[in-house]
Amino acid sequence: MGINRLQKLRSLITEHGLDALLVSQPENCRYLSGFTGSGWLLISDNHALLATDFRYVEQAREEASDFEVIRVKGELNSWLPELVSDMGWHELGFEANYVSFSSYRKLSEAIKAKELNLELIPTTGLVERLRSIKDPEELELIGKAVELTDAAFEQAKSIICPGIAEKEAVWELEKYLRQHGSEEVPFEIIVASGPNSALPHAKPTERIICSSEPVLIDMGARISGYCSDFSRTLCLGEADKNFREIYDIVLRAQSAAIQGIEAGMSAAQADELARTIIEQTGYGNAFGHGLGHGVGLAVHESPTLTSNSSDLLVDGMVFTVEPGIYIAGWGGVRIEDVVTLEKGKARVLTRSGKEWRALHA
Ligand code: ZN
C-alpha cells in the first residue's frame, strides 16, 4: 500500500529541493505508513523511517512494514538533529502547520548549539495533495462509510419525531452508527431544530423537536479510518412557505453544483455554481460557508471548495457538496452529499433522498 504513495512523495521531496521530509500530521503518517499510533516519519530518497516512543514500537512494526522503526525518547529537539545529521541530510522539510512554534524553536536552538549543517524548510500540503486523490481501496472504504450514514438516515426518519430532544436523537444516531460498524464517529453528530438549525455547527441541546420547523441532521461514519459526511434537513408535519422556498433554493443550488462540476475546474468555480443561485434569490449573505471539502482519512481535508480556494478539481478526488442557507432566529437548511470526480464529472456516492417531508404528521 505504502510504496506507491512513498514514490509519489519522493518526487515531491526532490521537486522541492529537500533531502528529506519530516511528517508529523497524524493522518499523513497513517496514509504513508499505515501506522495509527503517535510518531513521526522521516522520508528521503533511500529511507523511510518511523520514529516513535516505546509505547508504540510493537504496533509500528506490525502496521508499518515498509518502514524502519526507530525508538526515540522525548521531543523532536532531543533526538532529531543528531539523527538527521547522521543520515547526511542538510535540507530537512517539515510540515509548517503541524510543528508547534515551541517545538520549532527548541529544534532550531538544538541545531545551533550543536553547530550542525542542517536547515529546516517549512512545507505545506505535500502529503495532503497526494491524499486528495483517492485510490480504489480508499474509494471503497469511503463508499462503505457513506452507505452507513445513508442507513442511519433511514433510522433518523423514524427516530426523529415531535417530542424527542435533540441530544436524545443524536445519541440514538451515534448508537446506530457504532452498532453497524462505524469506528469512533468523525465529529459530534448534529441534530439542530428550529432556530438552533441556523448555527451551521450547532451543538445538540435538550430542546424538544417540534412540528413545522427545520430539523438539520449532520453526521458521519468512519470505516477503517475513512470518513463520510452527510446532511439533510427535515420538516416534521406541515412546512410553511418560508421553509419550502428556502429548501427549494438550497436543493437547486446543490443540483446545479453537482451537475456543473467538472474536472479541471477550480474549487472556487465549483463554489460559484451554487453560490450564484443562492445570491440570485437574495440569500447570498445567508450562505456563509464554502460549498464543500475533501473527505478521506480526515473528515475535512483537501480540496477546499470555497470562493477563495486555489485548489484545482481533478479526477479521483472525493468531496462534499453542501450549500446551506441560515437565518438567525428562524433556522437553516443544508443538504450535503459526498461525490467523487470520475471521468471528468461528479458521481454522487450518497444515496439518500432529498425529500424534506418526514413520516410523522
Ligand atoms: Zn461537511
Side-chain angles (χ1 to χ4, degrees):
M1 166 261 286
I3 290 296
N4 192 18
R5 295 175 185 176
L6 275 181
Q7 292 309 352
K8 287 183 184 159
L9 181 64
R10 282 175 169 139
S11 310
L12 292 178
I13 290 172
T14 311
E15 250 173 60
H16 284 73
L18 304 170
D19 292 324
L21 178 70
L22 172 75
V23 179
S24 50
Q25 202 283 336
E27 280 89 18
N28 288 348
C29 290
R30 179 171 185 170
Y31 177 77
L32 294 166
S33 70
F35 177 55
T36 59
S38 144
W40 297 268
L41 307 182
L42 277 160
I43 295 156
S44 75
D45 242 1
N46 309 310
H47 287 88
L49 309 180
L50 193 168
T52 188
D53 67 66
F54 85 101
R55 293 171 301 170
Y56 296 105
V57 170
E58 272 317 299
Q59 183 187 340
R61 286 193 182 121
E62 271 170 37
E63 291 180 335
S65 48
D66 298 330
F67 279 70
E68 183 188 334
V69 176
I70 45 178
R71 180 173 157 180
V72 296
K73 204 174 169 183
E75 291 181 66
L76 286 175
N77 57 297
S78 55
W79 55 269
L80 186 72
E82 260 138 5
L83 176 72
V84 168
S85 62
D86 285 351
M87 300 299 291
W89 299 331
H90 303 296
E91 312 274 314
L92 178 68
F94 69 97
E95 298 181 304
N97 291 325
Y98 301 99
V99 171
S100 72
F101 177 69
S102 91
S103 293
Y104 176 78
R105 193 166 58 183
K106 285 185 206 162
L107 202 49
S108 305
E109 281 164 4
I111 291 167
K112 214 170 157 189
K114 294 187 167 83
E115 296 181 342
L116 299 174
N117 172 16
L118 169 57
E119 204 185 336
L120 299 173
I121 319 271
T123 70
T124 52
L126 294 188
V127 186
E128 286 83 350
R129 238 167 76 193
L130 300 180
R131 274 172 53 198
S132 71
I133 298 168
K134 270 65 183 177
D135 55 38
E137 300 89 86
E138 294 182 286
L139 202 54
E140 194 184 324
L141 293 170
I142 295 169
K144 281 185 183 163
V146 167
E147 225 172 86
L148 185 48
T149 37
D150 276 333
F153 180 58
E154 277 311 302
Q155 286 296 302
K157 287 192 240 169
S158 51
I159 291 166
I160 297 174
C161 50
I164 192 173
E166 292 172 356
K167 273 188 173 171
E168 202 184 330
V170 161
W171 175 234
E172 291 299 329
L173 289 174
E174 177 155 359
K175 252 188 346 203
Y176 181 89
L177 289 167
R178 296 299 305 263
Q179 282 170 347
H180 291 80
S182 178
E183 295 154 7
E184 182 183 8
V185 293
F187 56 91
E188 189 177 15
I189 295 170
I190 298 171
V191 173
S193 60
N196 292 351
S197 60
L199 307 166
H201 278 182
K203 284 237 164 237
T205 71
E206 300 292 353
R207 188 180 187 278
I208 302 293
I209 297 170
C210 306
S211 303
S212 307
E213 59 180 21
V215 182
L216 201 159
I217 302 156
D218 189 343
M219 60 185 159
R222 194 195 296 270
I223 307 277
S224 302
Y226 284 84
C227 304
S228 61
D229 196 359
F230 170 96
S231 303
R232 287 290 183 270
T233 308
L234 297 174
C235 185
L236 312 178
E238 285 303 307
D240 61 14
K241 191 167 160 282
N242 210 12
F243 180 89
R244 280 182 278 132
E245 181 195 305
I246 290 173
Y247 194 92
D248 180 60
I249 296 165
V250 174
L251 186 55
R252 276 196 293 127
Q254 202 218 20
S255 309
I258 289 171
Q259 279 159 30
I261 284 172
E262 282 175 9
M265 187 178 259
S266 72
Q269 283 174 294
D271 177 275
E272 185 67 23
L273 291 169
R275 196 164 303 279
T276 307
I277 288 175
I278 294 177
E279 275 168 359
Q280 280 164 358
T281 62
Y283 286 108
N285 287 332
F287 177 22
H289 56 71
L291 178 66
H293 52 85
V295 177
L297 283 172
V299 71
H300 291 118
E301 58 179 50
S302 187
T304 304
L305 288 81
T306 55
S307 54
N308 58 3
S309 173
S310 55
D311 294 341
L312 198 69
L313 301 180
V314 298
D315 272 352
M317 285 182 164
V318 174
F319 51 87
T320 66
V321 178
E322 49 174 316
I325 291 179
Y326 311 89
I327 317 280
W330 176 76
V333 172
R334 177 167 66 249
I335 305 171
E336 173 180 32
D337 287 334
V338 174
V339 308
T340 180
L341 265 185
E342 219 172 68
K343 295 180 190 135
K345 298 291 287 175
R347 177 166 70 87
V348 183
L349 301 180
T350 310
R351 292 278 165 83
S352 296
K354 293 171 190 174
E355 175 64 46
W356 55 261
R357 259 171 254 271
L359 301 168
H360 310 276

